Amino acid sequence: MKGEIGRKLTVATATVIALTMLLAGCGSSLEGAGGNASGSAVEPAAGFDGEYKGAYAMPSVDKTYDNPVSGDNVKEGGSLTVATRYTPNWNFMNVEGNTASMAKIWNFYMPMLQQYDLKGNLKWNKNFVTDVQVTSENPLTIKYEINPKAKWNNGKDIDWTAFKSTWQVNNGKDTAYSAANTDGYRLISSVEAGKDAKEAVVTFEKPYYPWQPLFSFLYSPDGVTPETYSHGWTDNPHNEWAAGPYKVASADKDGAMLERNPSWWGPKPKLDKIIYKFMEDSASLNAFKNGELDVVPVTNNNDLQMVKTRKGIQIRIAYGAVVSVFIMNGKAGPLRDINVRKAITFGTDVKLLNKVEYQGWDWWKPDTPGSQLFMSYQEGYRDNRTPEMKKGVDVAAAKTALEASGYKKGSDGYYAKNGKTLTVRYTYFGDKPTTTAIAKAFNEMMKKVGIKVNLENRDNSKWAATTGARDYEVMPSAWGADNPYGQTSLYQLYNSKSESNLMFLGNDEIDSLCEVPGTIEKQSDAVKAANRAEAEAFKLYGTFPYDAPPKIWAVRKGLANYGPAGFKTVDPLIVGWQR
């Protein structure tokens, strides 16, 4: 994931990842009732009415489907109730708190300096920074003018020290901080006060591009000790170290409630409160069906048919910014052997997994994504997988890889070496039927190869503890982005020293290649350099992408400025109910 400029990790599974890819330029459609997809209508910006019986049209890559309306057209007051997954560590910048679920909450109660539109164009949040300028190219120096009214909830000014503390916990110089992503911050040489305390001056050791996504959130200088940063946020949102239009009124292991922040200096937010309920996927679908939630993700045809039984809803479909992946722990047991990792990769039938995921939906199956950094609809996207990965499932090649490492097939159909059967653990999270179906399908695929699989199902809430302890071997997961600069996630995902490199694999060549894109100011050239680095990383066979889902949400009718919208940042000030 990201320190805050890279990828957010979504808890593993095809269903938790929530959503399936609809590639640009394809003329297929998603059937509302699960049948023939002909005769589809154009999707309105607020989504399809829940009672619509026709085919769901492909969304446009150039439109948002969040019911975008001006603040004047949003009612004052009311509440929004949503389900998300419990993340024990509330520190989104820390590797254990850097989840998509926590990102949603931080957007509403923490100092968020940047806002992006659908295409990823940046607008600075004037409530926090009134002006941002490059004052020198050599050395690269950025000046941030901080809003004079900006204060932490504890009453202290948000000033240059907030930039310094954010840099301190994310620069990687002290590994005790366990930052999710240090890229960019590692190259900063100093953070100092400018003409006064409300001006921060950030100077780089050498040019780093794009520098803009850095400091997307600020971290309070009151919580900078490594112990506090890594462990002090467990089940503690530290409202006193926050600053935003909402504050955390209450939080426990079952949920959290945000209410308007009386200390907020900016425009008054529309909603009175936002209620987050921490629950598993199946529970959230039932809760939405029963009117207990205002929003729920839809991931398969069964989900769709269930939510459509509720009256007064809308179905919102858009292109996603998430890539579903398999991650193999390169330091765990037999997975230390690249040939075992190759065998697993070659033996995984991605096309079959897609059939399992999207059973009942008559739509065109997109090509398997070839990158974990960029979406296929982004300029410069390239399939960075190895030729063998691109070929698709190849059981014979998988067996050949195992035999090259001295494994021999036994009478029971499984490979073994030195008297020990080749066995791997497949750890997955959540309770959705599709999640379990994917796990069982993987088990059957590996059985054809000759690899025994032990399936381990855990609650979504156990993800952070599982990854923190490296207690997995094969794990389905997903990486999600909130801006178009995928090259800023290279170090995070693939550098051998990164806390978020969940393969625990790497080498000096890849580490060097990860440094190159940040030295290139022109985005198109930086993307090319990132593609080269990722192509080398895929040769380690520690991870491979298998899906790029769209976002499909069911929402209570009238919900404004909230829904699937590409890279567009949710604006907490104007989320609410349309007049």
Side-chain angles (χ1 to χ4, degrees), residues 124 131-136 141-145 211:
W124 296 103
D131 189 39
V132 180
Q133 292 184 7
V134 176
T135 59
S136 171
T141 306
I142 317 297
K143 180 181 70 176
Y144 297 85
E145 294 284 353
W211 56 265

Side-chain angles (χ1 to χ4, degrees), residues 466-502:
T466 298
T467 55
R470 303 182 180 183
D471 185 21
Y472 61 91
E473 292 184 353
V474 180
M475 180 176 69
S477 197
W479 293 107
D482 53 16
N483 66 57
Y485 304 115
Q487 70 269 28
T488 63
S489 298
L490 257 179
Y491 186 96
Q492 177 189 7
L493 269 61
Y494 301 124
N495 190 282
S496 62
K497 302 176 183 66
S498 170
E499 290 281 347
S500 295
N501 179 344
L502 300 181

Side-chain angles (χ1 to χ4, degrees), residues 505-523:
L505 297 169
N507 57 47
D508 291 343
E509 180 184 6
I510 295 171
D511 289 353
S512 295
L513 288 171
C514 286
E515 302 288 348
V516 176
T519 67
I520 303 172
E521 185 170 11
K522 187 177 180 181
Q523 174 68 4

Side-chain angles (χ1 to χ4, degrees), residues 111-187:
M112 179 176 63
L113 273 58
Q114 301 154 5
Q115 295 172 312
Y116 293 91
D117 66 11
L118 169 70
K119 297 295 185 179
N121 297 306
L122 172 65
K123 179 178 70 174
W124 296 103
N125 187 343
K126 300 295 185 181
N127 293 305
F128 290 101
V129 285
T130 57
D131 189 39
V132 180
Q133 292 184 7
V134 176
T135 59
S136 171
E137 292 287 354
N138 187 22
L140 179 62
T141 306
I142 317 297
K143 180 181 70 176
Y144 297 85
E145 294 284 353
I146 304 164
N147 191 315
K149 298 179 181 179
K151 292 181 179 292
W152 299 103
N153 287 341
N154 60 14
K156 296 181 180 179
D157 273 346
I158 295 178
D159 58 17
W160 74 277
T161 61
F163 285 79
K164 182 179 181 180
S165 57
T166 303
W167 167 54
Q168 179 180 341
V169 300
N170 285 306
N171 62 28
K173 289 181 171 57
D174 186 345
T175 57
Y177 283 110
S178 299
N181 188 10
T182 62
D183 204 24
Y185 293 107
R186 296 178 298 111
L187 302 179

Side-chain angles (χ1 to χ4, degrees), residues 156-304:
K156 296 181 180 179
D157 273 346
I158 295 178
D159 58 17
W160 74 277
T161 61
F163 285 79
K164 182 179 181 180
S165 57
T166 303
W167 167 54
Q168 179 180 341
V169 300
N170 285 306
N171 62 28
K173 289 181 171 57
D174 186 345
T175 57
Y177 283 110
S178 299
N181 188 10
T182 62
D183 204 24
Y185 293 107
R186 296 178 298 111
L187 302 179
I188 293 173
S189 60
S190 67
V191 177
E192 300 173 325
K195 65 179 186 296
D196 55 36
K198 282 287 188 174
E199 183 178 279
V201 179
V202 177
T203 305
F204 288 78
E205 295 175 0
K206 57 183 179 180
Y208 173 79
Y209 306 103
W211 56 265
Q212 290 87 344
L214 296 170
F215 302 103
S216 57
F217 287 109
L218 295 178
Y219 187 88
S220 170
D222 287 344
V224 295
T225 67
E227 176 65 22
T228 299
Y229 178 85
S230 296
H231 307 293
W233 292 73
T234 301
D235 292 322
N236 187 345
H238 280 295
N239 201 56
E240 74 278 14
W241 297 341
Y246 292 89
K247 68 173 186 178
V248 180
S250 61
D252 55 29
K253 289 180 172 62
D254 296 320
M257 185 176 73
L258 275 60
E259 61 185 21
R260 285 174 177 158
N261 185 358
S263 301
W264 174 244
W265 57 92
K268 182 181 179 182
K270 295 296 181 179
L271 292 170
D272 291 323
K273 58 185 177 180
I274 301 123
I275 301 167
Y276 295 95
K277 295 187 176 182
F278 302 149
M279 56 178 61
E280 296 291 329
D281 300 298
S282 59
S284 66
L285 286 166
N286 283 311
F288 181 84
K289 176 184 174 182
N290 296 331
E292 300 167 23
L293 297 175
D294 297 315
V295 183
V296 73
V298 173
T299 65
N300 57 58
N301 195 49
N302 289 337
D303 291 358
L304 180 62

